[in-house]
Amino acid sequence: MEKLEVHILGCGSALPTMRHNPSSQVVNVRNKLFMIDCGEGTQLQLRRSRLPFTRINHVFISHLHGDHCFGLIGMISTFGMLHRNGPLFIHCQERLPELLRSHLDFFCDDIGYEVVFLPFNPCDREVVYDDRSVTVSTIPLCHRIPTCGFLFREKPTRSMQEQGLSDAVRSYAYCSDTCYLPRLSECVKDVSLLYHEATFSESELLRAKQTFHSTARQAAQVAKDACAKRLVLGHFSSRYENEKQILREAQELFPAAELAHENMRIEIV
Ligand SMILES: [Zn+2]
Ligand SMILES: [Zn+2]
């Protein structure tokens, strides 16, 4: 089976803790590496992961909260010091280039490669990347500011086509940050692996509503309604010393739920 893996670099929420890094992960599709979100400290996590990060050519940013994009400028600068020469494509909302511009001009004026911003509208479902191995499309979410998730869907290989296995393609959906969104299950129907935020446990339901985040139970409900094969929970609030309760609540509804953790590698089968 061709490689399809997710590497968790960070699965904490906005407030930094000793236990979790802010959001970032790398999806390996047939040895092409795609980054989703880039919270502060992501480049150190990349080092720890031992991923060949010179092979990251595309970064997808879900929304413009700092815990999802503060790591960009440091990583861009470091790539320059490491003599990267191929362009780095950043798929993001329209405002990000203007927000980063002065930092790029001042700190990264001598990097030997191009940073190319490819804007998308997070309110639409659109294909933002496509090659012969994979299609990446946006999934509009509901958060305090415009936010989208990303759906990676592999394309059948020639041998799969020859064996009549074209329908057996695998998929991965990243959904963070969002309040509970019942319609999301339609967008991620039958997904092989769903990463859904579970910032809070059920006792913080009101807080989840107020901050446009989800509880573990709500994440499990989406996975269940979508008939997802597997659910990984992340974006944990800093208030929890561990996430045992979060896992328990999710597994009551969806037994194939598990907790994300830093340096976790998930093989999608
Ligand atoms: Zn966040
Ligand atoms: Zn957010």
Side-chain angles (χ1 to χ4, degrees), residues 2-191:
E2 299 269 2
K3 191 169 269 190
L4 184 58
E5 285 177 357
V6 178
H7 297 253
I8 306 291
L9 303 181
C11 56
S13 58
L15 205 62
T17 66
M18 298 295 277
R19 298 187 60 245
H20 291 298
N21 285 71
S23 293
S24 183
Q25 41 187 263
V26 170
V27 184
N28 182 336
V29 186
R30 301 176 192 172
N31 292 318
K32 280 182 213 156
L33 303 184
F34 302 89
M35 178 176 279
I36 306 175
D37 282 338
C38 187
E40 192 180 349
T42 290
Q43 55 169 326
L44 297 177
Q45 285 298 94
L46 260 183
R47 289 272 185 190
R48 287 192 187 102
S49 74
R50 298 183 187 281
L51 286 163
F53 50 81
T54 48
R55 289 225 296 269
I56 296 174
N57 294 325
H58 293 267
V59 181
F60 301 88
I61 300 292
S62 64
H63 66 299
L64 303 183
H65 276 156
D67 56 320
H68 297 256
C69 60
F70 279 169
L72 273 174
I73 192 74
M75 187 175 78
I76 290 169
S77 166
T78 301
F79 282 175
M81 284 189 261
L82 296 172
H83 309 295
R84 182 190 177 100
N85 42 42
L88 181 69
F89 297 94
I90 300 181
H91 305 258
C92 58
Q93 296 176 33
E94 233 164 44
R95 283 213 66 195
L96 187 63
E98 101 191 38
L99 293 169
L100 276 185
R101 183 50 57 200
S102 60
H103 280 79
L104 284 171
D105 289 348
F106 189 84
F107 295 110
C108 303
D109 62 328
D110 58 350
I111 58 172
Y113 69 95
E114 204 184 345
V115 179
V116 182
F117 292 97
L118 298 170
F120 60 73
N121 179 351
C123 302
D124 287 342
R125 284 188 76 175
E126 55 178 287
V127 172
V128 287
Y129 177 85
D130 186 64
D131 67 17
R132 62 197 176 92
S133 311
V134 67
T135 301
V136 184
S137 42
T138 48
I139 309 168
L141 298 174
C142 180
H143 192 39
R144 300 195 300 282
I145 58 171
T147 301
C148 68
F150 299 101
L151 178 64
F152 286 67
R153 193 177 289 280
E154 73 171 347
K155 290 187 181 169
T157 57
R158 183 172 294 181
S159 68
M160 286 168 82
Q161 286 168 357
E162 283 165 4
Q163 294 172 59
L165 294 173
S166 295
D167 290 341
V169 291
R170 294 163 296 173
S171 52
Y172 172 59
Y174 172 89
C175 298
S176 186
D177 301 356
T178 187
C179 66
Y180 173 51
L181 207 53
R183 66 169 164 78
L184 189 53
S185 57
E186 279 311 308
C187 304
V188 298
K189 196 85 195 146
D190 298 321
V191 72

Side-chain angles (χ1 to χ4, degrees), residues 194-238:
L194 171 65
Y195 177 94
H196 194 291
E197 74 133 283
T199 308
F200 297 110
S201 74
E202 206 55 23
S203 59
E204 301 291 331
L205 182 62
L206 185 63
R207 180 96 187 113
K209 263 188 196 153
Q210 285 166 343
T211 55
F212 290 80
H213 283 298
S214 302
T215 64
R217 199 183 161 79
Q218 291 171 334
Q221 188 69 55
V222 173
K224 190 179 176 193
D225 293 345
C227 302
K229 288 197 183 67
R230 212 169 151 187
L231 168 67
V232 172
L233 305 162
H235 201 269
F236 307 120
S237 165
S238 59

